[in-house]
Amino acid sequence: MLTGILGLLQLFVIFFYVGLFAIGGGLVAATFMQQVLVEKYALISAEKFYSMLAISESTPGPIGINLATYCGVELYGPVGGIITTIGEILPSLIIVMLISRFFSNFQKKPLVKAAFNGLRPATAGMVLVAMVNVFKVALLDIEAFKASGSFPDVFQWKQIAFYAVALAALFLIKKMHPVFIVLAGAVFGMILL
């Protein structure tokens, strides 16, 4: 990754790309960010990225924009946060402005309907990929498994137990607000680290 102005420009282009193609919400954007920042350019480690994703999910606001801002601040400070946020938001702003101008003329056309119907399963698949990646990092320890070769070592039992208790609490205690689960998860994570 380049540094300085060229690095910020490259960061803007990366997040513009993410914002342009991440149709379906924040978790789809997170999947794109993970592919680009972690897998393609190795700018952020997988563990750090998923910690950032967890924090972005638990802070108010859209997860994709929260995560973009967090990534930018992590890589280039406050200026990076501003650049990544603008890069993430700009494609949606442009597309919404264009669609609002012309959509009423095209919304009943079969091709437009088919395009929107095709986006639904693709979006569901992207959300599923994000969910699987979060579960892998949060609940599995692949490195411990590689080191020992023992199948039980692949599971992070404390995290799995907390996840099961939190999930049961959400479903069994009807009046419990999810924010309490998020706070309990934060405390659990701090104790575990």
Side-chain angles (χ1 to χ4, degrees):
M1 187 75 165
L2 300 170
T3 57
I5 299 293
L6 289 176
L8 287 171
L9 181 61
Q10 189 174 5
L11 199 62
F12 174 81
V13 169
I14 288 170
F15 280 88
F16 189 88
Y17 162 80
V18 169
L20 185 62
F21 292 105
I23 298 170
L27 288 177
V28 175
T31 301
F32 274 114
M33 287 181 217
Q34 186 262 339
Q35 289 171 345
V36 173
L37 297 174
V38 176
E39 294 176 9
K40 186 172 183 182
Y41 293 113
L43 296 173
I44 299 173
S45 70
E47 184 176 299
K48 177 76 172 172
F49 180 80
Y50 288 113
S51 294
M52 293 166 67
L53 177 61
I55 292 168
S56 297
E57 284 181 315
S58 48
T59 54
I63 181 176
I65 296 168
N66 290 349
L67 185 56
T69 305
Y70 194 175
C71 289
V73 169
E74 185 70 25
L75 294 169
Y76 285 95
V79 173
I82 293 168
I83 294 295
T84 56
T85 303
I86 292 170
E88 176 81 15
I89 293 171
L90 194 57
S92 297
L93 182 64
I94 293 168
I95 290 169
V96 167
M97 288 171 58
L98 289 172
I99 287 175
S100 67
R101 178 152 175 112
F102 300 109
F103 189 66
S104 61
N105 297 335
F106 296 104
Q107 69 184 0
K108 299 199 188 289
K109 302 234 183 240
L111 190 59
V112 173
K113 284 183 178 181
F116 280 107
N117 287 337
L119 286 174
R120 287 187 187 109
T123 300
M126 293 296 285
V127 169
L128 182 63
V129 166
M131 183 187 79
V132 168
N133 286 334
V134 168
F135 272 99
K136 280 185 349 191
V137 170
L139 304 178
L140 302 177
D141 190 351
I142 305 299
E143 295 303 318
F145 175 69
K146 287 178 183 176
S148 71
S150 174
F151 183 70
D153 288 345
V154 77
F155 298 105
Q156 295 191 39
W157 295 107
K158 292 176 188 172
Q159 286 90 326
I160 291 171
F162 177 80
Y163 175 73
V165 168
L167 193 62
L170 276 175
F171 284 108
L172 298 176
I173 304 171
K174 297 293 183 198
K175 295 193 181 210
M176 177 180 276
H177 197 281
V179 76
F180 294 115
I181 299 295
V182 170
L183 292 173
V187 170
F188 178 77
M190 286 187 283
I191 291 170
L192 197 62
L193 296 175

